[in-house]
Amino acid sequence: MPAALSWAPPTPIFYETDVAASTPVRAPHAISTRPPQSISAAPESFLDLTREQVIEIALQDSRILRELGGRIVDAPAATITAYDLALQRSDPFYGPEAALAEFDSVLSSSLTSANNDRVFNNAVLGGGAQELTQDALSLKSGVSRRLMNGAVVSLDRQLDYDSNNRSANLFPSAWESQVQVGIRQPLLQGAGKTFNSIAGPNAQPGFYFSNGIVIAQMNSQISELDFEKGLQDYISEVEETYWGLQMAYKLYEGERRASQAAEKTWKAVAAKAAMRLGGAEADKEAEARADFLGAEYRTLLALNGTNRLPGVHDSERRLRYLIGLPATDGHLIRPCEPVSTAPIVFDWSAMLAGAINHRTDLRKQSVRIGQEELRLIAAENFLLPQLDLIGRYRLRGFGDDLTGAGPRFASASDDLFSFDHQEWEFGVEMKVVAGRRQAHAAVQHAKLQIERERSILVEQQRYVAHELSQAIAKVEVLQAGIRISGRRQQAAYERLNAVQAQYDIGKTDIHRLLNAQEDAIEAERQAIETTTDYAIALKDVAVANGTLLREHGVILR
């Protein structure tokens, strides 16, 4: 008998959902060069694992939520990975950082120089010079920022140098310096923190408002819920495959014992036939031999599987793929957790309330409804006229030199800080679209979208209630099935023992014995399948209730 290995994972299981983009790519360590397990090669050892240990292995380094069926090859874009949430958050167009970037400060600067040499037909047009020669320099710098309430504030600094041959100049060359502060504050349309956090700046009616920080953050919540749903489906498939492998082992053991019993019966009949005893005619020996060979073939299939029913090796390879282990490593995974057949009584009201609160489908739809309600608020803002308050303050300085000392206008910097040249501008701008047909259509569209999403949520809740009801009912049916199949198995083996005793003393024929053996095998097979279905049904209740991750101690962070 091969040795059994043990595995002891820590608890609880923390699963990282936000993987940094700089995570190094590892070599494919889960690819094995060993040949597949076959009927001619015994395993080096068994790896005895419980459900929690299998799930721990699956989540240790699972950047891909695997699925059976080869979807990763046929449709790689549809595969759920641990990178999806980080990709959504780092989206440079619709992610939260992109939305916040609309409110970042913008720095600008420019430096230009020019040399002009122009001839004017009229000296007046040339500012007193028939032939104008000019050297000019302009330095501009500034910072602007959009505030969350919709206002745009700016601070600009400009330096200009001009040297020319105009005869009316106060100085042959001069510097001009100015500092300007400006603000544009929306008062109606586009005003307020609520609108700008929903729609973002530069929004227009009818658009989806995905650049608002609140909408972007809710999109991240939806992505996280999508990943949580994918993770739950992944763990559900891992657990179902685990129980399927355990059933395969039990069916194989049952078929192996049946094959041994059939071989023993056939050899007994063959021995009687060799001695030409009654009840061991050629047809009865052939019947016993055919029954033994059939049992041998079923044992072979139970070990290796068929296209319709996976055996031990097929089920073990499926589980290995799901949890990220090499296809072969010399060991066979063997489930060691017994199926609990204890009856369970569910509190329907508590279960239904828990499903409504915990199901990721319903939580995701609730977020979508919240998004549409916020979009309606933003859409209604566009019904208001555009009325903006505008203000500018400018401080100027002029001088023969940029810096220095002397009388007035000797230094442009000194003249600037003398505050002798102050300018200001104040006003309002208004714009109204006649009819506002696009804005009204956007409001109507948003209201209809809310009603649609709310109707979907109601129908989803109804479906969840039906799904949970069906899952609980299936558990109750299988509880009764476990009792019935257990009694049937007991009766079948009691009958087999009685018929075997009668056959041994020659009071019955081989037909009844073989029939009793087949009935006992079928009863055992039914009991195994029923207990496995019961374990899977309990898992399905946790899935329908939305508590599968919590029951396995998986914590998203």
Side-chain angles (χ1 to χ4, degrees):
M1 174 67 69
L5 304 181
S6 63
W7 190 278
T11 55
I13 303 171
F14 292 93
Y15 193 85
E16 300 288 348
T17 62
D18 194 356
V19 181
S22 60
T23 302
V25 179
R26 303 184 187 181
H29 62 278
I31 298 179
S32 174
T33 58
R34 285 174 171 266
Q37 292 282 352
S38 64
I39 58 175
S40 60
E44 298 173 7
S45 62
F46 288 102
L47 182 60
D48 293 330
L49 297 175
T50 65
R51 277 184 308 162
E52 302 306 326
Q53 290 167 344
V54 165
I55 292 172
E56 170 68 15
I57 296 173
L59 298 183
Q60 275 182 351
D61 189 24
S62 183
R63 295 293 183 261
I64 303 294
L65 300 186
R66 304 176 188 89
E67 294 179 275
L68 297 174
R71 185 180 177 184
I72 185 64
V73 177
D74 298 333
T79 301
I80 299 176
T81 75
Y83 298 94
D84 294 348
L85 181 57
L87 285 170
Q88 193 282 327
R89 288 176 176 171
S90 60
D91 190 308
F93 296 102
Y94 301 109
E97 293 301 317
L100 288 174
E102 296 289 345
F103 300 96
D104 289 345
S105 299
V106 179
L107 303 177
S108 60
S109 180
S110 67
L111 174 63
T112 59
S113 62
N115 178 265
N116 299 313
D117 191 345
R118 299 179 63 185
V119 177
F120 293 91
N121 189 40
N122 190 316
V124 176
L125 297 177
Q130 198 79 43
E131 184 176 353
L132 174 66
T133 59
Q134 180 186 38
D135 290 320
L137 179 71
S138 180
L139 174 62
K140 299 178 182 179
S141 61
V143 58
S144 64
R145 181 169 184 175
R146 185 180 296 273
L147 304 181
M148 191 62 75
N149 63 358
V152 178
V153 296
S154 61
L155 173 63
D156 299 293
R157 176 72 188 275
Q158 182 172 342
L159 287 173
D160 292 310
Y161 171 76
D162 187 6
S163 174
N164 61 69
N165 64 340
R166 289 188 176 101
S167 60
N169 287 345
L170 179 62
F171 303 108
S173 64
W175 288 86
E176 185 176 359
S177 176
Q178 59 177 293
V179 176
Q180 176 177 290
V181 178
I183 183 171
R184 175 183 285 270
Q185 173 64 64
L187 300 179
L188 295 176
Q189 187 182 124
K193 183 177 180 180
T194 299
F195 171 80
N196 284 277
S197 61
I198 296 172
N202 304 316
Q204 296 182 17
F207 284 82
Y208 211 49
F209 305 142
S210 293
N211 279 341
I213 179 59
V214 175
I215 300 297
Q217 289 173 340
M218 297 176 84
N219 285 336
S220 293
Q221 293 180 31
I222 291 175
S223 296
E224 187 172 350
L225 290 171
D226 285 337
F227 181 81
E228 183 177 339
K229 177 66 165 59
L231 184 61
Q232 176 184 267
D233 293 342
Y234 173 57
I235 292 178
S236 173
E237 189 166 18
V238 168
E239 182 174 346
E240 190 163 333
T241 307
Y242 176 88
W243 291 124
L245 176 58
Q246 186 182 84
M247 180 180 71
Y249 271 106
K250 290 181 178 179
L251 291 176
Y252 167 70
E253 287 298 322
E255 295 293 351
R256 189 174 62 84
R257 290 195 304 271
S259 177
Q260 292 172 349
E263 181 181 18
K264 181 179 178 181
T265 301
W266 167 60
K267 289 182 177 179
V269 174
K272 288 183 178 181
M275 293 184 291
R276 302 182 182 278
L277 298 178
E281 292 80 4
D283 64 320
K284 294 183 174 57
E285 184 275 334
E287 182 179 3
R289 177 160 39 92
D291 187 75
F292 160 64
L293 293 175
E296 277 283 282
Y297 184 68
R298 289 193 299 271
T299 303
L300 177 66
L301 297 183
L303 180 62
N304 294 280
T306 66
N307 291 333
R308 295 182 299 275
L309 182 65
V312 172
H313 287 316
D314 277 354
S315 298
E316 200 261 356
R317 279 190 288 266
R318 289 158 64 95
L319 183 60
R320 279 180 171 274
Y321 171 74
L322 281 177
I323 65 178
L325 292 182
T328 54
D329 58 9
H331 312 297
L332 275 183
I333 297 176
R334 183 171 59 185
C336 63
E337 182 172 335
V339 177
S340 174
T341 58
I344 298 177
V345 178
F346 297 101
D347 184 342
W348 170 250
S349 298
M351 293 287 290
L352 181 59
I356 298 298
N357 292 327
H358 298 143
R359 284 286 293 260
T360 54
D361 322 76
L362 304 185
R363 288 155 55 198
K364 177 181 175 181
Q365 187 63 22
S366 297
V367 175
R368 283 178 171 168
I369 292 174
Q371 281 186 322
E372 298 306 328
E373 291 173 343
L374 292 176
R375 287 178 175 131
L376 174 60
I377 294 174
E380 290 174 338
N381 181 269
F382 287 103
L383 295 174
L384 302 174
Q386 182 179 342
L387 181 64
D388 294 350
L389 179 67
I390 300 172
R392 295 185 185 91
Y393 172 79
R394 187 181 301 112
L395 187 62
R396 291 182 180 274
F398 177 82
D400 182 30
D401 199 356
L402 179 60
T403 60
R408 189 183 185 194
F409 302 132
S411 170
S413 297
D414 289 346
D415 191 50
L416 176 72
F417 292 111
S418 69
F419 296 95
D420 288 341
H421 314 289
Q422 301 184 52
E423 302 174 348
W424 60 267
E425 180 182 1
F426 178 79
V428 292
E429 287 185 1
M430 185 174 181
K431 178 181 178 182
V432 179
V433 178
R436 294 167 292 177
R437 283 183 288 185
Q438 187 181 28
H440 282 293
V443 170
Q444 182 65 18
H445 179 82
K447 290 180 178 179
L448 292 173
Q449 194 69 31
I450 290 174
E451 293 303 317
R452 178 185 184 276
E453 299 302 330
R454 286 176 177 171
S455 300
I456 290 176
L457 178 61
V458 171
E459 192 60 33
Q460 283 180 332
Q461 291 173 340
R462 183 180 291 113
Y463 180 81
V464 165
H466 280 275
E467 189 177 36
L468 182 62
S469 175
Q470 183 178 1
I472 292 176
K474 188 174 182 180
V475 169
E476 294 174 351
V477 170
L478 289 171
Q479 287 176 352
I482 288 175
R483 293 192 298 270
I484 294 172
S485 61
R487 291 198 295 267
R488 178 194 173 188
Q489 184 179 7
Q490 181 180 1
Y493 275 101
E494 288 177 355
R495 177 197 173 201
L496 175 60
N497 292 334
V499 173
Q500 182 70 55
Q502 292 176 352
Y503 179 79
D504 291 341
I505 61 177
K507 289 188 176 182
T508 190
D509 58 18
I510 189 65
H511 301 289
R512 289 193 60 199
L513 178 59
L514 296 178
N515 181 264
Q517 288 178 346
E518 291 177 0
D519 187 59
I521 294 169
E522 178 58 31
E524 182 177 1
R525 183 184 298 112
Q526 184 186 66
I528 293 171
E529 292 176 350
T530 304
T531 54
T532 302
D533 289 342
Y534 181 68
I536 295 175
L538 291 177
K539 181 266 298 178
D540 290 340
V541 170
V543 171
N545 196 36
T547 57
L548 183 66
L549 296 182
R550 283 193 302 165
E551 290 186 6
H552 286 292
V554 179
I555 302 173
L556 298 179
R557 64 181 183 184

